[in-house]
């Protein structure tokens, strides 16, 4: 695997300090966060659509070499930078990634159909800058390319899938419309299937993949907030495929915690950066 990992938590934190500084320099404005009582179900679905755009673009580009069609991206979509078709050495992993790509595209279409004229366009997405910062923070090496081989591609997908599950679990606590809640619960289940398959696939890859996945987990945990809401795929000498609380319940993240991860910053009031160089579209866009 490219960019083999051998680092301590201290080294990971040092990388995140540099990462946070870069995000702060890219920040232009620091608008006030949206109050919880002002958030509508539609706001949450638009927030989810931003995330689904990124996931769909990632998996489609990795499995087909092409991204979302113009018809599914909105009238004024942002540009997408990076991504190429992956050469899968293991046919079963290639088939799994193709299925995930189809699922994520279906999620984009579901949200666009449900929101109708209130759907947001695809935001600008930069996989090159995003993964470069992730690799620096996690110690994966300067040459890490998530599209370089199947192990790296699954590792990049794990970055999104773990966050997606916790984001949907958090949304379930605030959605008011029962139909919206049922849909979010169903999508959460699909994202959890993806997460479990990605984590188990990486675990079967051996120690080098364990270290890389655990480093990505540590990096996420350093920037999303003060609580420990992330777990690697291996710990205490055994597998940890299902990250959860002691009661075996999935962790929840607020939109602000999710934004910290995808913007790659540990600061409040940031409205763009990382994978979203111009920020998300919609009301929920500031850490």
């Amino acid at each position: 695997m490219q960019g083999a990992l051998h680092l301590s938590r201290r080294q990971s934190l040092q990388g995140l300090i540099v990462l946070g500084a870069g995000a702060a320099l890219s920040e232009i404005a620091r608008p006030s966060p949206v109050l919880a009582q002002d958030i509508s179900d539609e706001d949450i679905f638009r927030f989810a659509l931003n995330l689904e755009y990124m996931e769909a673009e990632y998996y489609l580009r990795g499995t087909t070499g092409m991204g979302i069609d113009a018809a599914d991206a909105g009238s004024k979509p942002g540009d997408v930078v990076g991504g190429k078709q992956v050469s899968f050495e293991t046919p079963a992993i290639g088939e799994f990634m193709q299925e995930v790509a189809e699922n994520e595209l279906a999620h984009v279409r579901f949200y666009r159909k449900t929101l109708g004229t209130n759907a947001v366009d695809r935001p600008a997405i930069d996989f090159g800058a995003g993964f470069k910062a992730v690799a620096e923070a996690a110690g994966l090496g300067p040459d890490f390319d998530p599209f370089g081989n199947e192990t790296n591609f699954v590792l990049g997908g794990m970055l999104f899938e773990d966050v997606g599950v916790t984001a949907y679990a958090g949304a379930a606590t605030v959605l008011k419309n029962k139909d919206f809640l049922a849909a979010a619960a169903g999508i959460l289940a699909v994202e959890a299937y993806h997460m479990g398959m990605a984590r188990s696939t990486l675990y079967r890859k051996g120690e080098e993949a364990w270290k890389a996945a655990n480093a990505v987990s540590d990096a996420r945990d350093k920037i999303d907030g003060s609580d420990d809401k992330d777990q690697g795929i291996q710990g205490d000498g055994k597998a940890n495929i299902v990250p959860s609380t002691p009661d075996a319940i999935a962790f929840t993240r607020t939109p602000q915690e999710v934004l910290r991860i995808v913007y790659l910053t540990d600061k409040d009031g940031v409205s763009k950066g990382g994978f979203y160089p111009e920020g998300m579209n919609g009301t929920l866009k500031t850490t």
Side-chain angles (χ1 to χ4, degrees):
M1 177 176 148
Q2 296 177 2
L5 174 70
H6 302 285
L7 85 169
S8 66
R9 283 179 175 266
R10 181 177 181 182
Q11 289 171 308
S12 178
L13 178 58
Q14 290 172 339
L16 284 162
I17 291 172
V18 174
L19 178 63
L25 288 174
S26 69
E27 180 189 354
I28 294 178
R30 298 175 63 88
S32 300
V34 178
L35 298 177
Q37 63 265 29
D38 296 329
I39 300 174
S40 69
D41 286 358
E42 288 75 15
D43 288 330
I44 295 171
F45 266 30
R46 282 188 284 269
F47 179 76
L49 177 55
N50 279 276
L51 295 173
E52 296 292 354
Y53 276 132
M54 181 170 66
E55 291 186 334
E57 288 288 356
Y58 179 76
Y59 288 112
L60 285 171
R61 287 164 187 265
T63 57
T64 70
M66 298 180 292
I68 295 173
D69 290 340
D72 295 314
S75 60
K76 296 181 179 179
D79 294 332
V80 179
V81 177
K84 62 186 178 183
Q85 191 164 8
V86 177
S87 178
F88 292 97
E89 309 96 75
T90 310
I93 294 177
E95 291 176 12
F96 167 50
M97 293 293 105
Q98 289 169 5
E99 182 179 10
V100 173
E102 293 169 1
N103 290 164
E104 303 299 3
L105 178 58
H107 290 166
V108 167
R109 290 172 173 170
F110 165 77
Y111 282 120
R112 289 187 55 79
K113 177 180 66 177
T114 301
L115 290 166
T117 58
N118 292 318
V120 294
D121 296 338
R122 182 190 64 203
I125 298 168
D126 192 338
F127 290 119
F131 278 109
K132 181 180 179 180
V134 170
E136 180 180 359
L140 300 179
D143 298 325
F144 176 77
D145 178 6
F147 300 93
N149 57 57
E150 69 180 24
T151 301
N152 285 5
F153 189 63
V154 178
L155 180 63
M158 191 200 87
L159 173 71
F160 302 138
E161 299 299 346
D162 279 348
V163 176
V165 171
T166 58
Y168 276 108
T173 67
V174 293
L175 285 169
K176 306 173 187 69
N177 183 300
K178 290 185 178 180
D179 291 336
F180 277 31
L181 178 58
I187 294 175
L188 186 157
V190 172
E191 299 290 354
Y193 279 127
H194 295 170
M195 181 188 76
M197 288 296 292
R199 291 171 71 95
S200 60
T201 296
L202 288 169
Y203 192 78
R204 292 188 183 97
K205 290 283 187 177
E207 185 175 0
E208 189 175 357
W210 301 349
K211 290 181 178 179
N214 285 5
V216 169
S217 172
D218 285 344
R220 283 188 311 219
D221 217 11
K222 289 291 192 302
I223 58 176
D224 67 353
S226 58
D227 294 336
D228 185 357
K229 294 185 176 182
D230 225 295
Q231 296 173 1
I233 65 172
Q234 194 269 351
D236 298 326
K238 59 183 180 181
N240 184 51
I241 305 304
V242 184
S244 60
T245 70
D247 296 317
I249 297 173
F251 295 102
T252 63
R253 281 188 172 100
T254 66
Q256 285 67 40
E257 289 171 331
V258 172
L259 288 168
R260 280 170 169 254
I261 294 173
V262 297
Y263 288 172
L264 300 172
T265 180
D266 61 354
K267 301 183 181 302
D268 293 333
V270 177
S271 57
K272 64 180 183 178
F275 291 98
Y276 295 91
E278 297 176 16
M280 283 193 179
N281 292 326
T283 303
L284 297 172
K285 61 181 298 180
T286 305
T287 60

